[in-house]
Amino acid sequence: MAILDNVTGGARSAAAPATPDLNTLFRPRSVALVGATERSMWSVNAFENLRRYSPRIAVHCVSPSRATVHGVTAAASLSALGEAVDLAYIMSPRDTVPDILREAAANGIGGAIVLTAGFGETDDGRALQRELVAAVEETGIHLLGPNGSGYVDVRHQVVPFGLALPDLPDPGGASFVLQSGGLMKPLLSLARAWGVGVGMLAGTGNEATLSSTDVARYLIESEETGAIGLFLEAFRDAEGFRSLAERALELDRPVVVLPVGRSEVARRTAMSHTGALAGDAAVTSAVLRELGVVEVSSMEEFVATTELLSRGVRPRGGRLGVVSASGGSCELVADKAADEGMTLPRLPPAALEELRSLLPAFSHVQNPLDVTGYATVNPRLPVDAAAVMGRTGAEHYDLLLFQAFVAPPGRPADPDFTRAHFAAIADTVKGLDVPVLLQDEVGVGLSDFARELFAELGLVRLPGVEVGLRAVANTMRYTGGRERLRGAERTGAARPTSSAPLPEGPLSEARALELLGGHGVPVMPHRLVSDAAGAVEAARLLGGRVVLKICSPDIAHKSDVGGVVLDVEGDDAVAEAYTGLMATVTARVPEARLDGVLVAPFRPGGVELIVGINRDPVWGPVLVLGFGGVLVEVLADVVIRPLPVSARDVTEMLDGLRGAALLRGARGRAAGDVDAVVAAVLALADAALGWGDGWDSVEVNPMRVDGTVVEALDALVVGKSA
């Protein structure tokens, strides 16, 4: 069991957390409702849910003031029950909860759900939550909550849950863990409407002891779990989550995450461009991608993606074949597929020939295939067309979408005919080498008849074009990502810590360049001067045109305060530039500490990159790589990955930039030395990791690439403040 706290530096422990044995919490044979009363709808709902959905579970009521509650005899306390109980569902006043947990453990109860609120989520409840955690540590009882509604185990019919429930979905392989209990009912409703089979749905409340990661780790070890979806408001256990993701990849039981809180970048201020670019949401997305976790952005996509992955949908790539009875729908699919990076290959010759003999003469035989309204006359036509495409195009398509069907809106007048029609579809699907998914044009709910029929026949249905194709793309990305991650050499070895700690706060550019150069980062030639004569002498030594830049630990963005003068040549011009620069900066930033002026060669042309490393408060050090210079935040063409990285990782990051062609030599430009760029980035990463936790931000912007020349023109290093 993991006692949670705020995680910094991306890890709490080097050892992988053990999977907790939560059977006493999630597989009870009996439940005691502690604090049961007819005056609370929480109590009424919890009792009714257990009676309605958990017929094999013995339900007891505990009330210190009433002999009968909910029509059954109530005990005054857990000790007074007189028989063994596995799970306590606690609804008592918050001050009583720690002692009730101790009493529960003393009576052999191994699991508890605390519905009661007013603990860590309130200022005056934090001390009480610490007492609750202490009671858990003393007793070893497994606690879900507090401030949590409980869970709904559809598969095993265990429903200790305090809200009124809709009709439950069918059992299935998709399980969900939510940090927001208020979303549990709508998720269940959506799952039932779409025919999604659910294993368990659990709310974790305040996560005082058990986290969403702990619950997910327990579920992922079960062969009954096909995939698990996590709705997360915060990643409280970064190292535990990494361990969960690695285990899920190993077992091929995917993890789907819907994270919220994307607007936090707006409140973040940083001296470096890297801090602005590497916001919480961007870093989280990068980390999830590198862990093989599927990230989604809506509840509908969350449910649809988890369902597909739980059903074992693993397309080899993004090549789609489509059979539809609507030209408009074909166009919608084609557009959305392109948006998601999928393709619709041309029909192979064998398929063209066979389909032309099968379809009406007025049909246009292509992929996506519109079998036309003639399908109303001949309902077998779409099925036969799908069979042709699947049989003749198995090497051309990774997935077939079958849209030419109408799900029965209710119980049909001739259910046997409808059943036979869909059975023919199911038989055709099962006989093909390429997987086939049914797809509605819009994400409507299924009738009970359709839901039961599809489940009986094993038909997998996509809810609409928008959500459905997004879910398909997610399965494609998971499949490719898992293959890449399972086959790649992971680079997780720790670097040795430097013996020379960094000073606190921002360093001057001269000191930053000196430090990075000492770690193998190629830096431009430069001289630090303190007067006009020194600037002139430095310019003569460097030769030709130069640039002058103010050097101060208090000024990160020198251009903003007039602290840069470009393309200066000649003694008089250099002296004048020095004098003017110092006067301007002193007037604009009178409080800044000035170390002098850096004189360096003026380097026009080439490609400018930003290479930055930021310390995320949850995930630890992350690398930001992209096109830089003064337009870095305007262009925002960057890729983010958690450290450490390999040469292959950095190469993939460069290839992932929108402007990658510029670096490779587009439109007559000289191609940059990518190997040299990779070496420079790795040197920067090793420098940062070598300083351990003693820094907040390390950045080179720009790193200039001009053919075989790669050098840092500007650098920023911010030591960690005390």
Side-chain angles (χ1 to χ4, degrees):
M1 182 183 304
I3 305 300
L4 300 182
D5 52 13
N6 290 326
V7 180
T8 57
R12 294 188 307 172
S13 170
T19 300
D21 181 2
L22 302 180
N23 283 334
T24 55
L25 180 62
F26 292 121
R27 297 288 185 271
R29 295 158 297 179
S30 55
V31 177
L33 301 180
V34 184
T37 170
E38 286 97 344
R39 296 192 302 272
S40 168
M41 288 307 298
W42 294 104
S43 181
V44 171
N45 292 331
F47 184 82
E48 290 300 323
N49 288 336
L50 286 166
R51 280 297 176 90
R52 178 182 179 186
Y53 295 114
S54 306
R56 294 187 297 274
I57 302 295
V59 183
H60 306 277
C61 290
V62 174
S63 171
S65 59
R66 294 181 178 271
T68 302
V69 181
H70 304 314
V72 300
T73 301
S77 66
L78 287 170
S79 301
L81 280 173
E83 57 183 290
V85 172
D86 297 320
L87 176 67
Y89 190 92
I90 301 172
M91 301 170 283
S92 299
R94 65 177 186 174
D95 293 346
T96 67
V97 172
D99 285 340
I100 290 173
L101 289 174
R102 295 184 178 95
E103 181 188 16
N107 284 276
I109 297 175
I113 298 168
V114 176
L115 171 77
T116 309
F119 288 89
E121 76 276 16
T122 65
D123 290 339
D124 64 342
R126 290 173 184 159
L128 196 58
Q129 181 156 311
R130 288 193 291 270
E131 184 181 347
L132 182 149
V133 170
V136 169
E137 291 176 329
E138 291 170 19
T139 62
I141 195 170
H142 292 304
L143 169 66
L144 192 65
N147 189 29
S149 303
Y151 64 84
V152 178
D153 188 340
V154 179
R155 180 181 293 278
H156 297 99
Q157 296 184 302
V158 184
V159 187
F161 192 73
L163 293 170
L165 285 171
D167 290 337
L168 297 183
D170 295 328
S175 286
F176 300 88
V177 182
L178 279 67
Q179 288 180 337
S180 172
L183 292 177
M184 294 176 68
K185 283 179 61 177
L187 191 152
L188 287 168
S189 296
L190 185 61
R192 181 178 174 87
W194 283 355
V196 173
V198 173
M200 179 187 288
L201 177 63
T204 53
N206 286 9
E207 301 189 357
T209 56
L210 284 176
S211 70
S212 52
T213 302
D214 291 323
V215 176
R217 190 181 300 117
Y218 168 79
L219 293 172
I220 215 74
E221 292 294 334
S222 170
E223 293 183 357
E224 296 173 337
T225 301
I228 190 160
L230 303 177
F231 178 92
L232 298 178
E233 297 168 327
F235 291 83
R236 296 190 176 100
D237 181 5
E239 194 61 26
F241 185 86
R242 283 192 174 100
S243 175
L244 166 69
E246 290 170 2
R247 181 62 172 159
L249 276 184
E250 178 185 348
L251 296 172
D252 193 17
R253 294 174 189 154
V255 174
V256 180
V257 170
L258 174 53
V260 291
R262 295 175 178 272
S263 62
E264 294 187 22
V265 177
R267 63 174 173 76
R268 178 180 294 217
T269 57
M271 292 191 69
S272 67
H273 293 288
T274 304
L277 294 168
D280 293 352
V283 171
T284 294
S285 294
V287 171
L288 294 180
R289 185 169 55 251
E290 286 307 297
L291 291 175
V293 173
V294 179
E295 181 181 5
V296 298
S297 59
S298 71
M299 285 293 290
E300 292 81 4
E301 184 188 352
F302 184 51
V303 172
T305 300
T306 308
E307 155 76 348
L308 283 189
L309 289 169
S310 76
R311 299 288 293 265
V313 177
R314 303 288 188 275
R316 298 164 298 182
R319 302 171 304 170
L320 299 182
V322 180
V323 177
S324 178
S326 164
S329 183
C330 287
E331 292 162 352
L332 287 171
V333 169
D335 286 346
K336 184 61 180 175
D339 291 343
E340 296 296 338
M342 296 181 285
T343 60
L344 284 83
R346 294 179 182 274
L347 293 167
L352 280 170
E353 181 179 353
E354 195 168 347
L355 287 169
R356 282 171 179 156
S357 66
L358 178 68
L359 295 171
F362 56 82
S363 63
H364 186 46
V365 180
Q366 63 178 9
N367 181 35
L369 179 64
D370 175 12
V371 297
T372 76
Y374 198 76
T376 304
V377 179
N378 179 10
R380 270 297 305 190
L381 182 61
V383 182
D384 293 340
V388 171
M389 288 187 66
R391 187 176 63 253
T392 61
E395 298 303 318
H396 292 76
Y397 310 115
D398 301 306
L399 198 68
L400 282 182
L401 302 183
F402 185 78
Q403 288 190 339
F405 75 98
V406 177
R411 186 169 182 83
D414 189 348
D416 292 337
F417 174 83
T418 302
R419 185 172 280 105
H421 173 66
F422 281 96
I425 296 175
D427 290 342
T428 299
V429 165
K430 293 171 185 176
L432 299 177
D433 292 333
V434 57
V436 181
L437 302 178
L438 273 62
Q439 182 181 41
D440 286 326
E441 286 84 353
V442 293
V444 296
L446 293 174
S447 66
D448 288 346
F449 178 86
R451 180 174 50 82
E452 293 166 5
L453 179 62
F454 287 6
E456 173 190 332
L457 297 174
L459 293 170
V460 184
R461 168 205 178 240
L462 295 176
V465 172
E466 180 72 23
V467 173
L469 281 183
R470 181 69 178 166
V472 167
N474 288 334
T475 66
M476 174 190 72
R477 295 180 186 115
Y478 168 78
T479 305
R482 181 174 187 265
E483 182 177 344
R484 176 179 66 85
L485 292 169
R486 296 282 289 167
E489 179 182 351
R490 306 311 296 159
T491 56
R495 267 68 168 189
T497 301
S498 170
S499 58
L502 294 178
E504 293 181 9
L507 280 61
S508 70
E509 182 185 353
R511 179 62 175 145
L513 289 170
E514 178 187 0
L515 284 171
L516 294 179
H519 282 81
V521 179
V523 302
M524 65 175 181
H526 58 277
R527 297 286 187 276
L528 179 63
V529 302
S530 57
D531 54 34
V536 170
E537 181 181 357
R540 288 174 179 172
L541 290 172
L542 294 168
R545 300 148 68 188
V546 295
V547 56
L548 282 74
K549 300 186 290 183
I550 197 69
C551 188
S552 167
D554 300 326
I555 303 174
H557 306 305
K558 295 177 278 292
S559 298
D560 295 348
V561 297
V564 179
V565 182
L566 301 174
D567 198 6
V568 183
E569 188 172 15
D571 293 354
D572 292 343
V574 170
E576 182 180 347
Y578 177 93
T579 303
L581 184 152
M582 290 293 288
T584 298
V585 172
T586 301
R588 292 187 180 181
V589 197
E591 70 281 4
R593 296 167 292 169
L594 303 182
D595 292 346
V597 171
L598 272 180
V599 182
F602 178 56
R603 304 291 206 205
V607 175
E608 293 186 337
L609 300 176
I610 179 172
V611 185
I613 301 172
N614 201 58
R615 185 178 300 283
D616 186 82
V618 174
W619 302 112
V622 292
L623 171 66
V624 178
L625 178 59
F627 285 90
V630 296
L631 296 177
V632 56
E633 289 178 13
V634 176
L635 298 176
D637 185 9
V638 298
V639 180
I640 302 173
R641 285 203 182 185
L643 291 183
V645 291
S646 67
R648 175 181 174 180
D649 294 331
V650 177
T651 302
E652 289 179 352
M653 292 177 75
L654 290 169
D655 289 340
L657 295 170
R658 297 192 302 275
L662 295 174
L663 194 60
R664 301 288 184 179
R667 299 187 67 84
R669 289 175 177 265
D673 187 339
V674 174
D675 290 340
V677 175
V678 170
V681 173
L682 291 176
L684 183 72
D686 283 344
L689 292 178
W691 291 321
D693 294 335
W695 56 274
D696 284 333
S697 184
V698 181
E699 176 180 290
V700 169
N701 181 36
M703 177 177 284
R704 178 175 172 271
V705 183
D706 190 5
T708 60
V709 177
V710 177
E711 59 185 352
L713 301 189
D714 201 338
L716 174 68
V717 174
V718 181
K720 189 173 183 178
S721 300

